[in-house]
Amino acid sequence: MTQYKNLEEYNLEITDEVKSRYSSIINEIGEDLNRDGLLKTPERAAKAMLFLTQGYKQDAVEILKGAMFKESYDEMVIIKDIEVYSLCEHHMLPFFGKAHIAYIPNGHIVGLSKIPRVVDVFARRLQVQERLTNDILECINNTLKPQGVAVVIEASHMCMMMRGVQKQNSVTTTSGFRGQFEKIETRNEFLKLISSNLS
């Protein structure tokens, strides 16, 4: 596992293998791989897929541990409206939306940019929204050991919008709570704050 890298660096052997598979798929659906617009599509698609699944090679725990600081602050810390882009493992179509995350420190805080990076690590894998929510929640809870942690994700799923039921305006919300956020008053404070416009 490596720490978070947002760089488009590709293993050439793996890229060539995935490129070959995309060439076969394009050919099988009846397209002409020699058409101008498709000449470089297998390579582009291979690199896109490797980028969108780079979370398998990243370690979210190490990201958090690399930016933990002793601090006596013990009130709620919220990072809301974190963009989420992932691939549904059922159809390999995108789902996208926002994550809202809070934790109550217990002797340590973490660099604020690390929370969105943890979201990216788990989102850049084949996922379902329910597991994504839990992966983020458990990683933060087990690594920071805070007094509590809360995660809410709101997302739209292309597998529902483009195919199947074809409902363009539906949004799926998932949530998870640990520690102090299992208390209704703390949970309600969090939910009120993520739904309000404080700017």
Side-chain angles (χ1 to χ4, degrees), residues 13 18 35-36 53 58 70 76 81 85 89 99 113 115-116 126 131 149 152 154 161 166-167 175 184 186 195:
E13 185 177 340
V18 178
R35 186 162 63 78
D36 276 354
T53 56
Q58 297 169 341
K70 288 185 178 179
M76 196 182 301
D81 296 332
Y85 299 95
E89 67 181 34
S113 69
I115 300 292
L126 300 183
R131 186 192 316 121
V149 59
V152 170
E154 304 168 289
M161 298 166 72
Q166 296 183 50
K167 299 300 181 188
S175 62
I184 192 67
T186 310
S195 63

Side-chain angles (χ1 to χ4, degrees), residues 15-198:
T15 303
D16 285 344
E17 181 65 28
V18 178
K19 172 183 170 182
S20 174
R21 304 292 173 90
Y22 273 113
S23 295
S24 297
I25 292 169
I26 293 168
N27 185 60
E28 288 296 328
I29 63 173
E31 260 291 1
D32 178 8
L33 280 166
N34 295 313
R35 186 162 63 78
D36 276 354
L38 292 175
L39 289 175
K40 294 187 177 180
T41 296
E43 181 179 354
R44 291 189 188 107
K47 288 181 177 179
M49 180 56 69
L50 293 173
F51 177 81
L52 294 172
T53 56
Q54 65 181 309
Y56 291 114
K57 298 180 180 177
Q58 297 169 341
D59 189 333
V61 171
E62 290 305 313
I63 288 169
L64 290 177
K65 285 183 175 179
M68 287 176 60
F69 308 99
K70 288 185 178 179
E71 187 59 57
S72 60
Y73 185 84
D74 61 0
E75 300 294 331
M76 196 182 301
V77 178
I78 301 175
I79 305 96
K80 68 177 192 174
D81 296 332
I82 302 166
E83 295 93 343
V84 174
Y85 299 95
S86 193
L87 290 175
C88 170
E89 67 181 34
H90 298 145
H91 300 99
M92 293 178 67
L93 289 172
F95 66 92
F96 57 92
K98 292 182 177 180
H100 314 288
I101 299 172
Y103 74 99
I104 301 173
N106 187 23
H108 288 88
I109 60 171
V110 68
L112 292 177
S113 69
K114 305 308 178 188
I115 300 292
R117 288 183 175 181
V118 166
V119 172
D120 280 351
V121 168
F122 292 115
R124 288 179 179 160
R125 301 176 182 185
L126 300 183
Q127 277 286 13
V128 293
Q129 186 174 330
E130 296 88 340
R131 186 192 316 121
L132 176 60
T133 303
N134 195 61
D135 285 346
I136 296 166
L137 180 76
E138 294 299 337
C139 178
I140 295 170
N141 192 55
N142 294 339
T143 308
L144 292 185
K145 303 191 185 311
Q147 296 180 57
V149 59
V151 177
V152 170
I153 297 179
E154 304 168 289
S156 297
H157 292 248
M158 297 303 285
C159 57
M160 287 180 64
M161 298 166 72
M162 291 182 68
R163 61 166 304 283
V165 72
Q166 296 183 50
K167 299 300 181 188
Q168 278 73 45
N169 298 310
S170 64
V171 174
T172 300
T173 302
T174 49
S175 62
F177 305 96
R178 293 289 183 274
Q180 292 296 318
F181 288 96
E182 295 176 88
K183 296 179 179 178
I184 192 67
E185 62 271 18
T186 310
R187 182 184 307 190
N188 284 344
E189 180 185 353
F190 165 68
L191 294 173
K192 181 179 178 181
L193 286 169
I194 66 172
S195 63
S196 64
N197 186 351
L198 299 177

